[in-house]
Amino acid sequence: MSKIVMKFGGTSVATTEKIANVARRIKMEKEKGNEIVVVVSAMGKSTDELVDLANELSDAPSKREMDMLLSTGEQVTMALLAIKLSSLGIEAISLTGWQAGLQTDDVHRNAKILTFDSSKILDKLAEDKVVIVAGFQGISTQEEITTLGRGGSDTSAVAIAASIEAEVCDIYTDVDGIYTSDPRYIKNARKLEQLEYDEMLELANLGAGVLHPRAVEFAKNYKIPLRVRPSFSDEEGTILKEEVDVENNLVVRGVAFESDIVRLTIEYEVPFNGSLASIFTTLAANHIDVDIIVQSIVDGVKPAVSFSIKKDSLAEAITVLETNKKNLGFTFADFEVGLAKVSIVGSGMVSNPGVAAQMFDRLRKENIPVKMVSTSEIKVSVVVPQSDMISAATALHSEFGLEIA
Amino acid sequence: MSKIVMKFGGTSVATTEKIANVARRIKMEKEKGNEIVVVVSAMGKSTDELVDLANELSDAPSKREMDMLLSTGEQVTMALLAIKLSSLGIEAISLTGWQAGLQTDDVHRNAKILTFDSSKILDKLAEDKVVIVAGFQGISTQEEITTLGRGGSDTSAVAIAASIEAEVCDIYTDVDGIYTSDPRYIKNARKLEQLEYDEMLELANLGAGVLHPRAVEFAKNYKIPLRVRPSFSDEEGTILKEEVDVENNLVVRGVAFESDIVRLTIEYEVPFNGSLASIFTTLAANHIDVDIIVQSIVDGVKPAVSFSIKKDSLAEAITVLETNKKNLGFTFADFEVGLAKVSIVGSGMVSNPGVAAQMFDRLRKENIPVKMVSTSEIKVSVVVPQSDMISAATALHSEFGLEIA
């Protein structure tokens, strides 16, 4: 008998028909003899609808009241799912975040899990019940209802899995697993059977979008095997763990890409005087996410620092930089739009020093100019013209042997 | 500075526009210097929609899960109302049933209030906040979410008013007060400024439908002045209290009527042997509400008992009676459909013995046959042919001087 956490996102429970499907799938797992905790999100677009109602009433709704409002979404789903399970002969009980013992800090709309008292869940499992828990929500030490922010339901599921020492945490989604690249754009992208947490973190941060990084980090910290499975079929999906079995000896396991990148360049007339930190502190204070940073100090050339941001932060970034031009000590700022980022990810890179060189060589052969480069132990990212993004990704996907055989 | 409880039902908060109206009305009361607790129901038909979803999934949804499901309705309303109040510059905080301290027994869907710990509400009032509480819901001693059943939000409002020792509990509805009779049918029905709790109880039980009897009883027990006010205008409505100022010296204050009544008659061949209690115990055990009971034992006539029920219980009642014919000891049961009940209500009747006679006399003059009679200290009810219901009510309304002058 294994403890399993099954998490279903909003699209998987968007209608009563889909909730009935989810119930049948839970029944299957239960009848295999497993102890099951289910974590659910709000139905389909219901959260958006509640947000719309609030926006009709106020330009700046209180975060505390938004949590009160939005936390009803999962409560509806879990009650309906419990009702359906009972009608299928499976005893089930639904628990709100506060009933389930999910204690958070008091940062409304973006709360962090502090502690998790799993005793109530364990009691109900011992009564042979399927326990359904509202994802995304908890309770603060002041007995206020809180929500966890983006990716919150995934995080709830992993936290519960860690707390009850589940064998696996299954995240059911509308994709059938994690791919070597985005199959909508890259022909021959291949589903991965396994992936390491760190690789997933790099892929998630680069826009793969299937799992929230916070949930992956949580799973990594507690060593909970995390499986991304399709809710619409019985396929196995992709399992994330600490270390992956050698799969075709692949050094690179995925190619991610992201469009709408802007490169900003700041030049100094006088030798660079250490205000680099000030620039990025100022940008961070204004909630502008900076991704790649490249600094070049070459003899005979003015010192400069380049960095990339998302296109939709550009106007804000320029305003911030212009406003602080004087105290930041630079004299010229330029930017280049129409760029994209393409990254190769794989934990095998650590012990394979030639990977970056192989990447640059292939891009050179494809006549794709590289505007910026950034490397980590398990990732190499390049900034290229957006018009070359897909051809760069396709070439690299092929270069590192990721295609379907 | 007075403490006031303001309760708004589902139709008063059915849309964001209506919620905004409610917020403005609360703001007005708050700016008069009052301390305000607001009790809200779910928006419009949202409860019905949730019930429909549950019914799509199960023929017999668990009551515990229905409470989980339905309690989200008020939570949505109260958060939206708090958001709107804040945008109007009024500090507000919403509280669920469990946060507000409303402890109930564990009878899901029909829970009774056990205790009410008003300390949190009083704390928030002391912070000069408008406190918005979810009506209809509480928490059991097992930390389960419960709902109070029909009329539950009214009962929540009165319980809170009692607990914080409010000056008045205002129930805002889509009618502008309590009338001497139903103005949709009785021309010249007149709005009452005041009414006694007991009179309201008789009117409510007879189908006036504005306030739930449980809420009125609660108000009576705790002597909380209860005011029925229109949510769509500034009119004063009708106030319910222990004893009413003499208003035109009226003996009768209201005429109520109810259609779709059936009279069942049971006859005995042998002298009646005391199984009367058994009959009504059996009916009650089968959830058949019996209203008027008339027993006649006349020399030379077979002993008989007649009683009235609602038409929609008829099939069930006949089945129950036929099944238990033998052990209940009767030999013939008959019924008459197409009847209605008309009642006059007024606490002044106690000291005016001629009222019933005056009623019968007027009905005789109108050629309306009386099939059954039932009296209490403050009420006389007659069962008449349904086709005569409105003319009987109109005649009695005029007979006892209730018309608009």
Side-chain angles (χ1 to χ4, degrees), chain A residues 16 53 56-58 64-65 68-69 71-72 75-76 78-80 82-84 87 93-94 98-99 143, chain B residues 16 53-54 56-58 64-65 68 71-72 75-76 78-80 82-84 87 93-94 98-99 143:
Chain A
T16 48
L53 290 179
E56 285 173 28
L57 292 168
S58 172
R64 190 258 182 205
E65 297 297 340
M68 188 63 95
L69 182 67
S71 64
T72 61
Q75 197 172 326
V76 167
M78 70 188 199
L80 291 174
I83 284 166
K84 184 64 196 176
S87 86
I93 184 167
S94 71
W98 59 267
Q99 285 176 325
E143 299 213 324
Chain B
T16 48
L53 289 179
E56 285 174 28
L57 291 168
S58 172
R64 189 258 181 206
E65 297 297 340
M68 188 63 95
S71 64
T72 61
Q75 198 172 324
V76 167
M78 71 188 197
L80 291 175
I83 285 166
K84 184 63 196 179
S87 87
I93 184 166
S94 70
W98 59 268
Q99 285 176 326
E143 298 213 326

Side-chain angles (χ1 to χ4, degrees), chain A residues 16-323:
Chain A
T16 48
E17 291 77 37
K18 287 187 168 193
I19 288 173
N21 281 335
V22 164
R24 280 185 283 273
R25 179 170 277 252
I26 293 165
K27 183 180 179 176
M28 250 171 50
E29 294 294 333
K30 174 71 178 155
E31 286 174 348
K32 288 179 192 162
N34 295 309
E35 292 186 296
I36 293 177
V37 178
V38 181
V39 176
V40 290
S41 302
M43 290 171 74
K45 300 281 166 213
S46 62
T47 300
D48 294 343
E49 286 163 20
L50 291 172
V51 170
D52 288 346
L53 290 179
N55 287 337
E56 285 173 28
L57 292 168
S58 172
D59 295 334
S62 126
K63 289 181 175 178
R64 190 258 182 205
E65 297 297 340
M66 285 306 286
D67 278 354
M68 188 63 95
L69 182 67
L70 299 184
S71 64
T72 61
E74 301 83 44
Q75 197 172 326
V76 167
T77 313
M78 70 188 199
L80 291 174
L81 182 56
I83 284 166
K84 184 64 196 176
L85 278 168
S86 297
S87 86
L88 297 178
I90 301 289
E91 267 207 274
I93 184 167
S94 71
L95 301 175
T96 62
W98 59 267
Q99 285 176 325
L102 202 135
Q103 185 100 52
T104 73
D105 63 18
D106 56 4
V107 181
H108 285 290
R109 299 214 71 179
N110 200 24
K112 298 229 169 344
I113 298 172
L114 295 179
T115 60
F116 192 89
D117 174 3
S118 58
S119 56
K120 187 150 190 176
I121 291 180
L122 292 173
D123 286 352
K124 299 298 175 187
L125 287 177
E127 293 171 14
D128 202 31
K129 286 182 175 141
V130 169
V131 183
I132 308 169
V133 181
F136 181 67
Q137 61 178 247
I139 184 170
S140 75
T141 45
Q142 282 78 46
E143 299 213 324
E144 294 284 358
I145 294 174
T146 53
T147 65
L148 303 180
R150 287 180 67 104
S153 290
D154 289 348
T155 311
S156 298
V158 177
I160 291 169
S163 164
I164 66 169
E165 299 180 349
E167 190 129 313
V168 64
C169 179
D170 284 339
I171 308 285
Y172 288 85
T173 70
D174 50 1
V175 299
D176 62 354
I178 309 291
Y179 275 70
T180 52
S181 196
D182 188 333
R184 288 173 298 175
Y185 301 101
I186 308 299
K187 271 180 209 159
N188 297 325
R190 194 164 46 80
K191 196 176 73 181
L192 291 158
E193 280 173 34
Q194 304 183 335
L195 197 65
E196 293 178 11
Y197 300 121
D198 286 332
E199 293 172 328
M200 184 69 222
L201 280 173
E202 294 290 2
L203 289 169
N205 281 324
L206 293 167
V210 178
L211 278 173
H212 198 268
R214 235 161 110 179
V216 179
E217 271 168 33
F218 221 102
K220 181 188 167 188
N221 290 341
Y222 289 93
K223 297 195 173 39
I224 300 294
L226 196 59
R227 190 159 44 181
V228 176
R229 304 185 74 174
S231 57
F232 51 83
S233 82
D234 287 340
E235 281 179 62
E236 276 301 310
T238 302
I239 194 154
L240 305 186
K241 15 189 204 175
E242 184 67 25
E243 252 179 85
V244 153
D245 311 336
V246 179
E247 195 181 336
N248 300 330
N249 261 327
L250 286 179
V251 174
V252 172
R253 287 216 177 78
V255 176
F257 47 89
E258 186 181 0
S259 61
D260 292 324
I261 302 293
V262 177
R263 178 175 65 168
L264 283 119
T265 304
I266 294 176
E267 289 184 346
Y268 293 80
E269 294 292 341
V270 294
F272 185 69
N273 60 7
S275 68
L276 199 58
S278 317
I279 292 171
F280 295 106
T281 307
T282 306
L283 289 168
N286 287 278
H287 305 290
I288 294 159
D289 274 339
V290 172
D291 185 13
I292 299 176
I293 301 173
V294 177
Q295 191 195 328
S296 61
I297 304 184
V298 183
D299 277 351
V301 182
K302 285 173 192 157
V305 60
S306 290
F307 56 91
S308 69
I309 59 172
K310 295 285 289 175
K311 196 171 84 179
D312 52 18
S313 304
L314 178 61
E316 179 77 10
I318 289 175
T319 310
V320 169
L321 290 173
E322 284 296 324
T323 312

